[in-house]
């Protein structure tokens, strides 16, 4: 769920511990990373990102990358 994803990423989307910082990253980088996490090709220390993206349609990843790239600005 959207709320569960935000909880894993932190309320400011800054990540922490085993979760990557996503706020303010380049949009093209975020899109590649999100696609990799969703497909399982990009692995982190845990599966937190894959779990956070599990219910999100692949078609929405570009919108999410745009949102995250501009978060906190």
């Amino acid at each position: 769920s959207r709320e569960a994803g935000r909880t894993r990423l932190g309320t400011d989307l800054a990540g922490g511990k085993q979760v990557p910082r996503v706020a303010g990253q380049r949009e093209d980088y975020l899109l590649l990373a999100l696609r990799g996490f969703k497909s399982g090709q990009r692995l982190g220390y845990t599966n937190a990102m894959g779990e956070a993206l599990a219910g999100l349609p692949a078609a929405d990843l570009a919108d999410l990358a745009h949102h995250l790239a501009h978060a906190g600005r």
Side-chain angles (χ1 to χ4, degrees):
S1 77
R2 186 177 292 183
E3 194 59 37
R6 190 175 264 303
T7 300
R8 287 186 185 102
L9 294 170
T11 56
D12 60 358
L13 304 172
K17 297 182 185 173
Q18 305 297 327
V19 179
R21 176 180 65 90
V22 293
Q25 299 279 12
R26 285 190 349 256
E27 191 170 335
D28 59 333
Y29 165 79
L30 285 168
L31 184 54
L32 284 172
L34 292 171
R35 285 179 176 156
F37 283 123
K38 182 160 179 66
S39 71
Q41 291 181 336
R42 184 181 184 123
L43 303 174
Y45 297 107
T46 69
N47 193 31
M49 291 299 291
E51 291 171 3
L53 296 171
L56 186 70
D60 291 346
L61 292 178
D63 290 338
L64 179 58
H66 177 82
H67 171 75
L68 295 171
H70 296 90
R73 291 186 181 181

